[in-house]
Amino acid sequence: MAEKTTILNLTEEEFVHSGNRACTGCGLSIVYRIGLKALGKNSVLVVPPSCLTVLQGLYPVASTKLPCVNVTFASTAAAATGVRSAMMALGKDDVNVVAWAGDGGTSDIGIQALSGACERGDNIIYICYDNEAYMNTGVQRSGTTPQGVLTTTTPIKGKLQVKKDVPAIIAAHGIPYVATASAAFPLDFYDKVKKATTIHGPKYIHVHTPCPPGWGFDTRYTIKVGKLAVETGLFDLYEIENGSFSLSAPSQRLVGKKRPPVSDYFAAQGRFKSLDTDMVNTIQQQVDAKWAA
Amino acid sequence: MHIIESGNVAAATGVKLSRVQVIAAYPITPQTPLTEKLSEFVESEQLTAQYIPVESEHSAMAVCIAASTAGTRAFTATSANGLLYMNEQLHWAVGARLPIVTCVVNRGIGAPWTVWNDQQDSMAQRDVGWIQLYASDHQQIIDSVIKAFRLAQTVSIPVMVCYDGYLLSHTYMPFDLPEQSEVDAFLPPFVPKHFLDPENPGNFNTVTLPDVRPGVDGTMRPGYIEIRHNLHQDLRAALDSYAEIDREFEQRFGRGGSPFVEQYRCDDARFVAVAVGSLSYQLRDVIDTMREDGIAIGVMGVQMYRPFPDQAVASALAGKECVIVFEKALSYGNQGPLYSDIKSTLYRMDDRPIIHNYILGLGGREIKTQQLLDALTESCARPAAIEDTPRWIGLKLQEEHHG
């Protein structure tokens, strides 16, 4: 990778207005601000219904300074293909075409269009911000909600099924770049988005975005909770570049080290309170086995 | 230059002549030869365009929506369940006021599966806000596609060009191929006022409140209902735009003059049969036969269904004794959609014609000219009352379904 971005050389130009409609402590608003800095002015955004629709504001006021088309829920990646096709037809090949969708919009209703765009090799960047439920509609379970999580549609027992591994599904398409990131490590995310702008073909970045109201933690703990997800070994940061896997620094430095127990992460949030000790132990064993491999 | 080709190739050639920039399509019978031809045009570099072989019709329209928002001329085509799968996107395309053109190769809808022709697919989309044109032969298909692009970008409303599956899509007819230079003069490039432009960023289709709201500069901007009202008004105004476009097309290409309804032997007619698409041409034979028997009857083909050309329909049917509407579509639980619309148009007349409704040809049931003759003979002999339950032609019901 090129030189790592630091807080000292991060661009000062902003593409998201302050005072937008995101909730206090929103993990998405961190990565959106940082991600647009990495993309720069010569970019077009494609956004389906999601928290980002809310963040962007209500007509006729918008909080995003980049051109953006809001599209139907299932069509994000196909719409990005449409923008790319138009840019090619108009001879504006240097424009970054960026789909930016939530986890429900990606792992559930939008996965067919995303799979189609990946299979076709369309030259787009697709960013999935994963707050692990349908937060915009009031915390319903999604394909990426982890096992055991209480949502408004898994209100008593918690979600029975495991989290869908979307980056692995997308990587199975053989696209040139897949990465995971976290709102708790914004500069790592910045560098990944920046790298994506230099690669031709489909690029997929899956970014973990803690959500205070949906996950049940105080708004000041967004970064802390996000870091715990990575440091406990539950959410791994990595890149798959042309099929070659590498752990990113925040996860790489856990190798061979003692990690905090996953129970620290669960205890920091209200959404895991239906997990019993057996379940926590089972998850700890799964994480340990994954890291032992 | 005249060529003999299929209806689907007529449509594809119209798209090529219109210099479309982005094509997205998903295969569905009987639309497939149209998109195959377009992919051939693109791969052989006879047409400079992006061809996106999408994974669904929903995505086909997504590509068109986004490409059109970005300022390019976009096209797709589909049939039957493919059109229904696009339904959400059809609403989106018109709400976003995008000049997309879509060919609908009319086919019946499942369940049960049918691949054969009727017009339920596009008729079921009559309320989405798209302009709907219907072609009755191959010449009208190619001409309508070219006119559709001009109309769409004139009024910023998408247009469906509909034609009968198999009966037109897969049959071969001679038609005149317009000169590219003439089409270029008729159809200027698409240059939108607002588009996805990093130099002049805008946010398209954002959440819009129920009420009006000031922008950052203090000027009041419309709420949702104003935006939708304006769409309706613009659709009504599209009638005049299309009449003007048709006049210009006729001056340049020598064809046209009946943009809304096509009348055949209607001037002195007491009775008028009405149909959409190729059926209106099949009815001409029947009308000729009945004329030989001294019955004063004509046929009216409806060429534009949305916006509904009520004035053209009213003036065509004023003073007639009986209007007989033949439909390959049905508003289930009510009556044929065209029948309802024509009846509503006749309501304002003091001396309203009697009106009858026949449902026929659903799922490709063969429409025999003799059946049309029998139905018209019956209606002309006894034009007594308006009927609210449509009559069916050619049903072969099992015993237990009678009565």
Side-chain angles (χ1 to χ4, degrees):
Chain A
M1 187 187 278
E3 190 141 325
K4 292 217 183 300
T5 302
T6 70
I7 198 66
L8 297 176
N9 61 12
L10 180 68
T11 175
E12 287 184 22
E13 190 173 8
E14 300 286 353
F15 296 95
V16 187
H17 292 289
S18 55
N20 63 59
R21 289 175 179 269
C23 305
T24 312
C26 174
L28 164 63
S29 64
I30 296 169
V31 295
Y32 193 51
R33 176 177 168 233
I34 294 295
L36 297 202
K37 282 174 182 277
L39 292 167
K41 185 171 178 261
N42 198 26
S43 305
V44 173
L45 295 166
V46 179
V47 176
S50 70
C51 293
L52 183 49
T53 319
V54 178
L55 189 158
Q56 289 189 96
L58 301 167
Y59 178 78
V61 179
S63 67
T64 300
K65 294 191 213 174
L66 296 180
C68 174
V69 59
N70 293 275
V71 299
T72 60
F73 213 174
S75 71
T76 315
T81 297
V83 174
R84 171 55 70 200
S85 305
M87 292 304 151
M88 288 166 75
L90 297 169
K92 297 192 250 181
D93 292 2
D94 60 337
V95 173
N96 300 313
V97 178
V98 186
W100 200 308
D103 50 283
T106 302
S107 72
D108 297 338
I109 196 169
I111 199 162
Q112 174 178 314
L114 175 56
S115 176
C118 289
E119 183 274 331
R120 290 189 300 268
D122 295 338
N123 186 24
I124 60 170
I125 299 172
Y126 191 107
I127 297 172
C128 169
Y129 69 93
D130 185 5
N131 50 30
E132 301 190 325
Y134 289 88
M135 296 314 185
N136 186 33
T137 46
V139 201
Q140 294 83 21
R141 86 187 275 290
S142 79
T144 70
T145 302
Q147 195 171 17
V149 165
L150 294 171
T151 68
T152 53
T153 51
T154 54
I156 297 162
K157 298 177 183 171
K159 187 183 169 187
L160 302 176
Q161 301 81 10
V162 298
K163 181 181 173 81
K164 189 190 278 192
D165 190 350
V166 183
I169 293 168
I170 302 308
H173 290 74
I175 67 171
Y177 188 68
V178 173
T180 60
S182 166
F185 299 93
L187 297 178
D188 174 69
F189 175 66
Y190 179 96
D191 284 336
K192 285 167 176 168
V193 174
K194 199 86 191 164
K195 184 187 278 188
T197 65
T198 67
I199 297 170
H200 190 85
K203 284 81 60 176
Y204 179 80
I205 301 175
H206 192 102
V207 57
H208 200 226
T209 51
C211 168
W215 292 12
F217 64 83
D218 193 274
T219 53
R220 67 194 144 145
Y221 293 135
T222 302
I223 300 298
K224 184 182 163 189
V225 169
K227 276 190 172 168
L228 268 174
V230 174
E231 287 165 357
T232 54
L234 279 163
F235 192 91
D236 306 328
L237 304 193
Y238 60 83
E239 293 175 290
I240 305 173
E241 224 176 321
N242 295 316
S244 167
F245 179 94
S246 61
L247 280 177
S248 306
S251 290
Q252 179 62 42
R253 57 178 170 254
L254 305 176
V255 175
K257 301 269 167 54
K258 187 170 161 51
R259 287 168 277 105
V262 294
S263 55
D264 285 6
Y265 178 65
F266 297 151
Q269 306 166 61
R271 63 175 176 154
F272 287 105
K273 68 183 176 208
S274 75
L275 278 186
D276 58 25
T277 314
D278 285 351
M279 192 69 193
V280 172
N281 289 338
T282 304
I283 294 172
Q284 185 66 63
Q285 283 161 17
Q286 287 166 352
V287 170
D288 291 344
K290 178 179 76 178
W291 279 88
Chain B
M1 183 182 71
H2 271 72
I3 61 168
I4 297 176
E5 258 298 355
S6 71
N8 276 329
V9 169
T13 309
V15 172
K16 176 163 86 75
L17 287 168
S18 300
R19 296 195 189 278
V20 71
Q21 292 161 289
V22 175
I23 300 161
Y26 186 79
I28 183 167
T29 303
Q31 156 264 35
T32 35
L34 161 54
T35 48
E36 288 164 4
K37 195 70 190 174
L38 286 172
S39 61
E40 180 193 319
F41 283 150
V42 173
E43 279 199 20
S44 64
E45 297 178 1
Q46 295 177 68
L47 171 62
T48 305
Q50 304 294 317
Y51 183 94
I52 315 298
V54 284
E55 82 297 331
S56 75
E57 288 91 353
H58 195 275
S59 286
M61 191 51 72
V63 168
C64 289
I65 286 167
S68 187
T69 309
T72 55
R73 184 170 288 158
F75 175 84
T76 187
T78 189
S79 298
N81 291 64
L83 183 65
L84 304 192
Y85 196 36
M86 273 182 197
N87 174 270
E88 173 194 30
Q89 301 284 56
L90 297 174
H91 284 272
W92 198 266
V94 69
R97 303 298 299 266
L98 301 170
I100 297 162
V101 170
T102 295
C103 278
V104 178
V105 189
N106 288 120
R107 162 184 157 179
I109 291 166
W113 278 122
T114 172
V115 297
W116 295 277
N117 167 250
D118 66 37
Q119 294 166 336
Q120 189 69 33
D121 51 0
S122 54
M123 285 288 172
Q125 303 298 329
R126 67 184 172 162
D127 294 338
V128 299
W130 281 55
I131 294 167
Q132 287 197 353
L133 306 177
Y134 286 82
S136 301
D137 65 13
H138 294 25
Q139 190 68 62
Q140 287 183 6
I141 292 172
I142 186 168
D143 292 352
S144 297
V145 166
I146 296 164
K147 286 190 278 190
F149 279 110
R150 173 77 185 275
L151 176 60
Q153 71 186 39
T154 302
V155 298
S156 297
I157 296 172
V159 181
M160 277 180 212
V161 177
C162 311
Y163 55 93
D164 291 309
Y166 295 114
L167 299 173
L168 294 178
S169 67
H170 284 62
T171 55
Y172 283 66
M173 280 191 211
F175 57 91
D176 180 65
L177 207 58
E179 289 292 329
Q180 182 69 64
S181 58
E182 292 291 314
V183 176
D184 289 344
F186 175 77
L187 179 61
F190 171 45
V191 184
K193 208 159 72 179
H194 306 288
F195 57 100
L196 291 169
D197 180 11
E199 295 304 319
N200 185 22
N203 207 313
F204 294 74
N205 318 322
T206 41
V207 178
T208 299
L209 292 170
D211 214 336
V212 296
R213 187 168 188 243
V216 284
D217 59 357
T219 53
M220 206 55 90
R221 309 307 292 270
Y224 182 89
I225 195 171
E226 285 77 21
I227 291 170
R228 288 287 159 161
H229 163 269
N230 293 345
L231 166 62
H232 178 72
Q233 294 305 111
D234 291 350
L235 261 168
R236 296 304 301 172
L239 289 163
D240 288 342
S241 300
Y242 192 52
E244 175 55 35
I245 286 166
D246 181 75
R247 260 193 300 279
E248 225 185 282
F249 190 91
E250 188 179 20
Q251 282 164 10
R252 189 173 290 279
F253 299 98
R255 292 183 297 275
S258 55
F260 306 123
V261 296
E262 204 177 16
Q263 294 168 274
Y264 179 75
R265 303 185 82 165
C266 285
D267 284 352
D268 64 338
R270 290 166 55 207
F271 309 98
V272 175
V274 180
V276 174
S278 61
L279 180 58
S280 70
Y281 279 18
Q282 188 182 356
L283 279 161
R284 290 183 175 190
D285 281 345
V286 184
I287 268 60
D288 289 342
T289 304
M290 294 177 77
R291 282 275 179 177
E292 282 168 21
D293 294 338
I295 300 170
I297 188 165
V299 60
M300 181 180 87
V302 176
Q303 315 253 77
M304 176 187 263
Y305 182 54
R306 283 293 182 273
F308 192 65
D310 45 355
Q311 284 182 9
V313 168
S315 68
L317 300 180
K320 305 303 181 191
E321 197 169 319
C322 184
V323 174
I324 308 103
V325 183
F326 293 88
E327 293 190 75
K328 295 193 277 190
L330 180 56
S331 178
Y332 284 91
N334 194 23
Q335 49 203 201
L338 180 61
Y339 176 73
S340 297
D341 289 329
I342 291 179
K343 208 165 49 162
S344 151
T345 297
L346 299 181
Y347 182 77
R348 71 185 74 167
M349 296 178 186
D350 293 330
D351 189 19
R352 292 189 285 270
I354 296 296
I355 179 165
H356 291 170
N357 191 195
Y358 288 94
I359 304 298
L360 73 175
L362 299 189
R365 174 65 61 86
E366 186 185 358
I367 299 170
K368 297 199 165 86
T369 301
Q370 183 64 43
Q371 293 173 323
L372 298 173
L373 179 62
D374 292 346
L376 283 174
T377 303
E378 170 71 17
S379 280
C380 294
R382 276 181 287 277
I386 290 181
E387 297 176 353
D388 276 336
T389 301
R391 305 177 189 185
W392 293 68
I393 291 179
L395 279 184
K396 298 171 185 173
L397 291 176
Q398 302 303 306
E399 195 68 31
E400 64 266 29
H401 292 123
H402 278 297

